[in-house]
Amino acid sequence: MPTEWDFMAEAASPGTRLQTAANGKINLCLLLGPLREDGYHDVVSVIQPLDLADTVTITDSPSGTDAVACPGVEGDNLAARAIASWRGATGIADRPVEVTIEKRVPVAAGMGGGSADAAATLRLLDAFFGVEGANLVTGLGADVPPLLHGGPTLVSGIGDRVSAVAQPAFGSCLVLPSTAGLSTPRVFSEAGEMGMRRSPADIVQVLTQLEHAAAAGEGWDLPDALLGLNDLGPAAARLEPSVGEALEQARGAGADQAFVTGSGPTVVALFHGAEAEQRAKEAAEALSDRPGGAIFSAASPASATIEQVA
C-alpha cells in the first residue's frame, strides 16, 4: 500500500518511486487588466484545483539522463523544463531522474494540465532529493505557482502574486472539454481587440472585494457578479465555435453557472444545492456522447500529497 511521504525527508534511497497527483484547475473568475509594457496582462483570478488529475511519478533514470515520459502527448513538456529549472535553482546536477505522467486532464484546454504536471514534478523533486527548491523556480508560466501550492488560491499581478485561501463554496462540477485547441496568446490578444481589458482601478477594486470575501473562511462565497466571470470567455467563443455550443449544452443540462475556464476552450458547469452531485453526474451521463465527452468532477481542497509506491 502507498504510504504518505514526508515532504522534507532526506533523499530517497536508490530505486524509490514517488508519486503525486497533478490536479487540473478551473478559474472561478478571471478578470483581465491592461496590457503592460512587458507584453503581459495584470489579472485577478480565484483558482480551484479539481480532483480531475494526472498522476506523476519520479524515480532514478535508467538512461543516465533526466527524462520525461507522457504517453499519448507529443511535443515539448513543461515538466522537462521544470526539472532543468529546479536543477538550476538548487545547483543539484547529479542523480538523473525519470518522470512519468499519466494524463487525465484535457490537453491545451485552459485547465492548467501542463502547469499542474510541472508543479507536481517540482514537489516530487523536493521530496526525492530531500531539499527545498520548488519555491525558488521561476519562469515556468503563470499557472505553476498557484498549482504548486496545492489548494485554492487568489492570484493577481501577472499570475505571480499567489495567496492561499480557504475552500470556497463550490458544489459539483461538470467539465466539457473540446476536441479543438486554442492558443493562449491568441485568446489574450483577441480579448484585447474586443475591449475586454479593465482599468487598473477596476482590477484593484475586484482584488479587494475577493480578499474581503475570502476572509470569511471555509465555505466563503464569491460575489454573485464574479462567480463564473471570465473576461477571456467571449474571445474564446469568438475564436472557437464549439465553446458557444458547450455553454448551451451545459445550461440545457441544468447547470447553475456555465463558463469558460482559463483561455478555453474547456467549458465548466457548476451545480449547487443539496442534490448538486447527483445533478452533475446525471448531466455528465446525458452529455457523454458529445465531441470531447463530459467529465464529472469535485473540488480538491488540498492536492500536494506525495506517496512512496516502491
Side-chain angles (χ1 to χ4, degrees):
M1 292 290 291
T3 56
E4 184 170 346
W5 180 264
D6 183 351
F7 188 70
M8 288 308 299
E10 62 184 16
S13 59
T16 296
R17 293 175 66 242
L18 303 182
Q19 189 174 89
T20 192
N23 297 69
K25 60 83 179 171
I26 61 172
N27 299 79
L28 295 179
C29 65
L30 198 168
L31 287 86
L32 184 65
L35 181 65
R36 297 161 33 132
E37 290 184 1
D38 60 8
Y40 292 97
H41 291 80
D42 284 316
V43 298
V44 174
S45 184
V46 176
I47 291 181
Q48 172 64 59
L50 299 180
D51 63 4
L52 174 61
D54 299 339
T55 300
V56 183
T57 305
I58 190 171
T59 191
D60 292 291
S61 174
S63 68
T65 59
D66 290 328
V68 175
C70 187
V73 179
E74 308 228 344
D76 294 336
N77 195 298
L78 195 58
R81 286 178 51 197
I83 296 172
S85 297
W86 184 90
R87 289 196 181 280
T90 61
I92 297 175
D94 60 351
R95 197 177 181 184
V97 296
E98 179 180 73
V99 170
T100 304
I101 301 169
E102 182 181 350
K103 290 297 295 181
R104 295 185 188 89
V105 179
V107 177
M111 297 188 68
S115 296
D117 294 339
T121 297
L122 293 174
R123 294 198 304 269
L124 287 170
L125 285 164
D126 273 9
F128 195 75
F129 285 90
V131 302
E132 190 172 3
N135 288 318
L136 303 176
V137 174
T138 59
L140 294 179
D143 281 338
V144 174
L147 293 173
L148 180 64
H149 163 71
T153 51
L154 175 58
V155 174
S156 59
I158 60 171
D160 56 336
R161 299 175 193 163
V162 180
S163 301
V165 294
Q167 175 62 48
F170 187 75
S172 292
C173 176
L174 177 66
V175 177
L176 300 181
S178 173
T179 55
L182 278 175
S183 161
T184 297
R186 188 180 178 199
V187 174
F188 271 87
S189 177
E190 187 75 14
E193 293 178 9
M194 295 176 67
M196 301 304 296
R197 295 176 182 136
R198 299 172 184 264
S199 70
D202 286 343
I203 290 295
V204 170
Q205 181 181 21
V206 170
L207 178 59
T208 301
Q209 191 176 6
L210 287 168
E211 289 173 337
H212 178 75
E218 193 79 11
W220 64 280
D221 291 304
L222 273 77
D224 290 342
L226 295 180
L227 179 61
L229 178 61
N230 182 353
D231 289 340
L232 298 178
R238 175 183 281 188
L239 293 169
E240 176 47 56
S242 67
V243 170
E245 296 168 5
L247 288 168
E248 291 181 7
Q249 290 171 329
R251 292 165 184 146
D256 295 302
Q257 278 98 20
F259 50 91
V260 175
T261 184
S263 59
T266 298
V267 164
V268 169
L270 297 185
F271 296 77
H272 305 297
E275 298 181 353
E277 181 175 338
Q278 182 62 30
R279 290 167 56 213
K281 288 181 176 179
E282 290 175 354
E285 177 64 26
L287 295 173
S288 61
D289 291 335
R290 64 177 293 277
I295 305 169
F296 167 80
S297 187
S300 176
S303 54
T305 300
I306 294 174
E307 296 175 332
Q308 182 175 345
V309 293

